[in-house]
């Protein structure tokens, strides 16, 4: 397993950690899993407060990674990290610390309340969730388990490795209930300025899907912005499974701009 960590100057100090401890957390969670063809990219940004994780179920080639325009573009000569195999699985973890303190409580789209004692507990949980998907789709483990099972497994794995994380169901934040109550039958309207801002995002920015007509990509999913379609109200995005999808601009909200 290759672990690549990208952070601006001074970011480790903002997160009260260092490169060795971040990589150590990832490797500890992955212990016992066959990760020989796995690339893990961890992005730390002290100027943002969002966090996300993504697993790409399709194998990524070095050429495809070059086209993805991630943080490695400015970090390596030629735009691609050296020593990568021809094809590999990819997990991305992105974390910000602007205005964030620990211990903290997070709510996710699967209807869970997640308590996290520290930054490393948070990192362990996010990576373990995506590792569950990797184990399912690449190693044939976990049967037909989905997002909620990945949450439960991630918390169990993090606790097993010594990180303080807990998970509880929370009706108030149940995504299915919230969707039935608040999402209208038509796209939520947005201002013209915000609409233009989304359509002019840089490639690879993070956006959140506020409405969905696809059960595999539910409302609340974090996506990668690729490009808008000319003369169309839709934009092209990349989902957490590595598939390109077309969604209406009004269904998206900005999480992080590149």
């Amino acid at each position: 397993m290759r672990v690549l960590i990208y952070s601006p100057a001074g970011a480790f100090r903002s997160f009260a950690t260092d490169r060795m401890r971040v990589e150590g957390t990832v490797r500890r969670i992955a212990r016992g899993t066959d990760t020989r063809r796995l690339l893990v990219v961890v992005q730390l940004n002290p100027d943002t407060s969002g966090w996300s994780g993504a697993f790409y179920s399709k194998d990524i080639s070095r050429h495809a990674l070059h086209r993805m325009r991630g943080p490695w573009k400015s970090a390596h000569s030629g735009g691609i990290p050296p020593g990568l195999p021809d094809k590999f699985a990819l997990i991305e973890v992105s974390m910000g610390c602007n205005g964030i303190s620990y211990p903290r409580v997070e709510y996710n789209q699967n209807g869970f309340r997640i308590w996290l004692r520290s930054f490393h507990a948070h990192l362990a949980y996010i990576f373990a969730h995506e590792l569950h998907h990797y184990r399912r789709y690449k190693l044939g483990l976990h049967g037909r388990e989905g997002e909620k099972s990945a949450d439960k497994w991630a918390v169990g794995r993090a606790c097993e490795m010594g990180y303080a994380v807990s998970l509880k169901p929370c009706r108030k934040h149940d995504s299915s209930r919230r969707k039935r109550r608040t999402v209208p039958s038509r796209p939520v309207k947005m201002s013209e300025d915000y609409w233009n801002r989304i359509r002019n995002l840089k490639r690879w920015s993070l956006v959140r899907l506020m409405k969905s007509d696809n059960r595999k990509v539910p409302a609340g999913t974090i996506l990668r912005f690729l490009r808008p379609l000319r003369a169309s109200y839709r934009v092209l995005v990349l989902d957490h499974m590595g598939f390109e999808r077309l969604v209406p601009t009004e269904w998206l909200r900005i999480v992080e701009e590149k």
Side-chain angles (χ1 to χ4, degrees):
M1 177 175 69
R2 287 283 303 278
V3 181
L4 303 178
I5 303 168
Y6 297 94
S7 61
F12 289 117
R13 184 169 58 253
S14 300
F15 284 87
T17 188
D18 56 53
R19 185 177 298 274
M20 185 177 296
R21 291 178 63 198
V22 170
E23 181 169 348
T25 295
V26 171
R27 293 193 179 279
R28 194 171 297 119
I29 294 297
R31 191 179 299 161
T33 298
D34 182 357
T35 58
R36 286 173 292 180
R37 298 184 66 82
L38 176 63
L39 173 66
V40 180
V41 176
V42 179
Q43 302 179 57
L44 305 180
N45 192 338
D47 299 324
T48 66
S49 58
W51 58 271
S52 65
F55 163 66
Y56 298 85
S57 59
K58 287 186 175 180
D59 284 339
I60 305 294
S61 67
R62 284 176 290 182
H63 178 67
L65 188 70
H66 181 77
R67 289 189 284 110
M68 290 167 105
R69 299 181 181 276
W72 48 84
K73 295 291 287 188
S74 58
H76 299 284
S77 176
I80 302 177
L84 296 178
D86 292 335
K87 288 192 175 182
F88 48 88
L90 173 64
I91 288 178
E92 273 194 320
V93 175
S94 178
M95 299 184 70
C97 70
N98 186 16
I100 289 180
S101 61
Y102 295 94
R104 67 181 291 101
V105 171
E106 294 279 357
Y107 298 91
N108 70 7
Q109 67 267 25
N110 299 323
F112 289 122
R113 175 186 184 273
I114 309 162
W115 179 81
L116 305 145
R117 184 173 184 177
S118 65
F119 161 76
H120 283 277
H122 199 173
L123 172 62
Y125 160 72
I126 298 172
F127 175 65
H129 179 103
E130 303 308 326
L131 186 67
H132 179 280
H133 296 322
Y134 168 80
R135 287 163 57 90
R136 176 186 175 188
Y137 290 104
K138 295 299 183 184
L139 304 182
L141 303 173
H142 306 298
R144 296 172 61 85
E145 295 180 3
E147 290 293 330
K148 289 189 176 182
S149 294
D151 278 333
K152 295 174 183 177
W153 187 88
V155 169
R157 181 61 177 169
C159 291
E160 180 185 1
M161 292 293 104
Y163 300 98
V165 186
S166 66
L167 185 77
K168 291 183 178 180
C170 183
R171 282 190 174 186
K172 181 179 179 181
H173 292 269
D174 186 293
S175 62
S176 61
R177 290 173 179 268
R178 184 169 68 249
K179 183 169 65 173
R180 286 196 297 269
R181 286 199 306 267
T182 63
V183 174
S185 58
R186 62 181 181 224
V188 178
K189 297 296 181 183
M190 63 174 63
S191 69
E192 184 177 352
D193 287 344
Y194 195 75
W195 192 88
N196 288 328
R197 182 182 164 196
I198 289 181
R199 293 185 64 85
N200 286 290
L201 281 175
K202 290 184 179 180
R203 185 181 178 90
W204 215 235
S205 294
L206 295 177
V207 291
R208 187 184 302 277
L209 187 63
M210 306 304 294
K211 177 180 170 61
S212 175
D213 56 4
N214 188 322
R215 63 182 180 85
K216 293 184 178 181
V217 188
T221 300
I222 302 296
L223 307 168
R224 288 285 186 182
F225 179 88
L226 296 180
R227 62 179 176 84
L229 265 65
R230 292 174 179 255
S232 172
Y233 70 96
R234 296 182 299 173
V235 299
L236 187 67
V237 297
L238 191 71
D239 68 20
H240 59 291
M241 296 179 291
F243 294 101
E244 295 183 352
R245 299 184 185 276
L246 286 173
V247 298
T249 305
E250 293 179 341
W251 290 10
L252 301 174
R253 293 297 182 271
I254 300 170
V255 174
E256 178 185 330
E257 297 187 49
K258 293 296 181 183

